[in-house]
């Protein structure tokens, strides 16, 4: 493997029988792979990609090797030239059987405009594609053979194709939850749903996808791909293309549920923090409501810290809440118009809480020492004054505790000490 | 399963000769199924192996001509490179191809026998989303700060940064920053050490490290070191050798490698070696691979481990190669 994670090291001595078995496996795989790559060398778009046997070939390769990115691309090309190529119902009567067309090579300038952060506005790749043709290379006449009319043939119905494609990738993504290519392929399929299907049908497919992401996050609460994917799915479900509306409330509730089942799930805390500004805007929250919201969040994180006082995830969320008070960035603001006296009193309250927490625990909690330092400095800054002699004494004590409990980061404590010493007001 | 971890010698040393042999052996495993299953990473693997060999002081351990031939065999008329002949061109193998040629001091072959430097640069530049500044990996449009970094890295090595909108790219990186000082894969995404590396390195190439809140980011990065000396990529996650590179190089770019414990990290990386057969694993006792090998060796180089060539923290390449190509 090019990159193996968590696989125990073993001495691998193959028996002659195993070697023979490997040889067979390699021969089968190489044959599939070389057929796939040979086909990929043919001009695109071309009727060759619409042949159902090619789709089957990619499936053979991908089920053995879901990391084969070119096979995923070939699969996209198959669909783009096959059942996704029909963008208006029914065949075009102006296309005579055996119509030939010149393959178009996208120019560099047209490629420049294709990558787009807004999946909704991405040009439809299917529009570049020719109509599907029969295995002989000519199009069947729908008047003669209605069974193969693309308008009624299930094999070319984009809705059915999409669903069968999503089904195809499902076991692969379950077995390989960290494989970028499968996630990307699914997103591409979902984008095709928007491009090719009526909005309500496409919306149902995207809603089901949210269910899948939920399932993946139940299996692995921190799966980075799955969280990113979730944000993408949600933003599409919220978009006008899917006749959507904000899902901030539902997603906020989702983070609550994830946090309840695992306090150290920082991915959920992160998402929660990101949702709050949007949520409050949508609620039309006034200053009082915002203040109450902030208080509630502080209560929530304090309850979490009571359970996991050494958990970095909880302390980071605490830091995030505090940064809403101490940082000027309005992007983060939960309660942007707090009077500065209130800001100070909130911080003082947190200082008391953290000191109590330290008393309740026998062990040193280095993250609590750090938080106290942050709070003391922030209070002085909010009050627009130098730190007092008493505060400086407290800072020195805390720093000594940090040095003792966390010698790994000695260099940081040195830099920090110099920093406070040089400018006591900060 | 054997208990390799328990068999480690008292005094840990970098087993350079074994690592060189391990990397050389990678292209001889054609009778193993995995060799074929990883063909889509072949060019990437050459970069990882060659870079490790340079840092280990054995730059000639892979045949130069054969390596150049292989790189050229992966180029497409578009200028882009695929990871193996016949596969599709993509941003990442395109970067790796350029990096390999720079290490071999062979960029000229692009003009002599390839599609030309400008064509390669155009392939990369065409993947920029001009509206947001970020980059896609290929024509299918997956966007990620990894590709933004790869693009700036590749173009700066070619001297063709002017082909893209660097200011827009910088704007995009800034939009990916989180309250903790770290960066995510896209705006709104959780901070991740790998993504921090790509974003900080991209800013470094753009000459905009002034936009990084170094104290805040340094604090987050230094907290990635956990008991045992290894580094993780996000809060409350397991340690892994690859983060020895991503976290440490980011700390290096903001001048704060001394914010973590050097000796402990060295110990962790060395414990991940297969001291008999060479190669480095993600964690002690696990299977080695060339990917963890290069990041382990690069990490050791950044830590000034004796006997290693200095690595450039922005490019993950020998500093000497970067100095040469940049005319420093």
């Amino acid at each position: 493997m090019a990159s193996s994670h968590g696989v125990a090291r073993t001495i691998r001595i193959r028996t002659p029988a195993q070697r023979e078995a490997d040889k067979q496996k390699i021969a089968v795989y190489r044959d599939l792979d070389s057929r796939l790559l040979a086909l990929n060398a043919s001009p695109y778009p071309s009727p060759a990609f619409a042949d159902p046997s090619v789709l089957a070939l990619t499936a053979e390769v991908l089920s053995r090797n879901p990391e084969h990115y070119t096979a995923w691309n070939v699969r996209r090309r198959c669909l783009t030239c096959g059942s996704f190529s029909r963008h208006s119902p029914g065949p075009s009567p102006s296309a005579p059987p055996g119509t030939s067309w010149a393959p178009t090579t996208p120019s560099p300038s047209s490629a420049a405009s294709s990558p787009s952060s807004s999946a909704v506005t991405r040009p439809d790749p299917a529009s570049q594609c020719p109509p599907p043709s029969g295995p002989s290379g000519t199009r069947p006449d729908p008047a003669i053979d209605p069974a193969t009319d693309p308008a009624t043939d299930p094999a070319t119905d984009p809705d059915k194709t999409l669903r069968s494609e999503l089904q195809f990738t499902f076991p692969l993504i379950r077995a390989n939850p960290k494989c970028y290519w499968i996630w990307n392929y699914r997103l591409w399929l979902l984008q095709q749903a928007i491009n090719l299907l009526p909005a309500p049908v496409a919306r149902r497919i995207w809603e089901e996808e949210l269910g899948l992401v939920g399932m993946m996050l139940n299996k692995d609460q921190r799966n980075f791909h799955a969280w990113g994917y979730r944000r993408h799915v949600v933003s599409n479900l919220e978009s006008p293309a899917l006749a959507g509306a904000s899902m901030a409330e539902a997603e906020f509730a989702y983070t609550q549920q994830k946090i309840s089942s695992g306090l150290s799930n920082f991915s959920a805390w992160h998402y929660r923090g990101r949702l709050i500004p949007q949520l409050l805007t949508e609620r039309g929250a006034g200053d009082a409501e915002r203040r109450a919201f902030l208080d509630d969040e502080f209560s929530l994180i304090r309850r979490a810290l009571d359970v996991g006082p050494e958990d970095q995830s909880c302390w980071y969320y605490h830091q995030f809440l505090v940064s809403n008070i101490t940082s000027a960035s309005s992007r983060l603001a939960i309660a942007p118009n707090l009077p500065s006296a209130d800001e100070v009193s909130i911080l003082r309250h947190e200082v008391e809480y953290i000191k109590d927490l330290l008393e309740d625990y026998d062990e040193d909690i280095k993250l609590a020492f750090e938080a106290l330092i942050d709070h003391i400095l922030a209070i002085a800054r909010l009050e627009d004054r130098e730190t007092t002699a008493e505060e400086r004494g407290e800072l020195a004590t805390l720093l000594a505790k940090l040095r003792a409990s966390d010698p790994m980061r000695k260099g940081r404590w040195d830099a920090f000490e110099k920093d406070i010493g040089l400018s006591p007001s900060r | 399963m054997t208990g390799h971890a328990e068999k480690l010698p008292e005094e840990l040393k970098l087993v350079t000769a074994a690592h060189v042999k391990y990397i050389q052996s990678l292209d001889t495993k054609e009778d193993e199924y995995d060799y074929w299953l990883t063909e889509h990473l072949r060019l990437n693997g050459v970069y990882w192996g060659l870079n490790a060999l340079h840092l280990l002081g054995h730059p000639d351990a892979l045949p130069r001509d054969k390596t150049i031939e292989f790189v050229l065999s992966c180029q497409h008329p578009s200028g882009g490179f695929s990871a193996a002949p016949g596969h599709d061109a993509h941003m990442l193998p395109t970067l790796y191809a350029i990096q390999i040629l720079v290490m071999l001091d062979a960029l000229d072959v692009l003009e002599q026998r390839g599609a030309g430097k400008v064509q390669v640069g155009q392939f990369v530049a065409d993947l920029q989303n001009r509206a947001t500044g970020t980059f896609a990996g290929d024509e299918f449009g997956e966007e990620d700060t990894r590709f933004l970094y790869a693009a700036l890295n590749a173009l700066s090595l070619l001297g063709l940064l002017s082909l893209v909108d660097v200011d827009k790219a910088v704007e995009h990186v800034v939009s990916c920053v989180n309250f903790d000082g770290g960066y995510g894969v896209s705006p709104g995404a959780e901070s991740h050490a790998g993504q921090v590396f790509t974003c900080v390195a991209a800013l470094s190439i753009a000459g905009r490290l002034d936009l990084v809140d170094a104290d805040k980011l340094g604090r987050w990065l230094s907290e990635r070191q956990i008991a045992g000396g290894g580094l993780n990529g996000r809060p409350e996650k397991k340690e892994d050798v690859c983060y020895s590179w991503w976290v440490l190089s980011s700390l290096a770019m903001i001048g704060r490698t001394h914010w973590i414990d050097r000796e402990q990290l060295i110990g962790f990386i060395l414990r991940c070696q297969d001291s008999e057969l060479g190669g480095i694993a993600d964690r002690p006792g696990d299977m080695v691979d060339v990917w963890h090998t290069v990041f382990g060796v690069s990490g050791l180089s950044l830590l000034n481990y004796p006997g290693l060539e200095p690595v450039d923290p922005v490019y993950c390449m020998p500093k000497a190669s970067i100095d040469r190509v940049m005319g420093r």
Side-chain angles (χ1 to χ4, degrees), chain A residues 46-64:
Chain A
S46 104
F49 286 93
D51 193 314
S53 70
V54 179
L55 200 70
L57 178 61
T58 66
E60 291 281 351
V61 172
L62 291 167
S63 57
R64 288 170 174 81

Side-chain angles (χ1 to χ4, degrees), chain A residues 19-95:
Chain A
R19 280 181 174 278
E20 190 49 40
D22 281 353
K23 223 169 131 182
Q24 297 295 327
K25 263 162 73 181
I26 291 170
V28 170
Y29 179 77
R30 288 192 67 187
D31 172 58
L32 293 168
D33 178 64
S34 61
R35 281 197 280 143
L36 180 105
L37 295 181
L39 186 110
N40 197 35
S42 50
Y44 171 79
S46 104
F49 286 93
D51 193 314
S53 70
V54 179
L55 200 70
L57 178 61
T58 66
E60 291 281 351
V61 172
L62 291 167
S63 57
R64 288 170 174 81
N65 186 8
E67 298 272 358
H68 196 306
Y69 71 92
T70 302
W72 287 114
N73 293 347
V74 171
R75 203 166 171 90
R76 286 180 177 98
R77 293 182 183 116
C78 290
L79 297 174
T80 309
C81 292
S83 52
F84 290 174
S85 67
R86 183 180 59 104
H87 25 79
S88 62
S92 159
S94 64

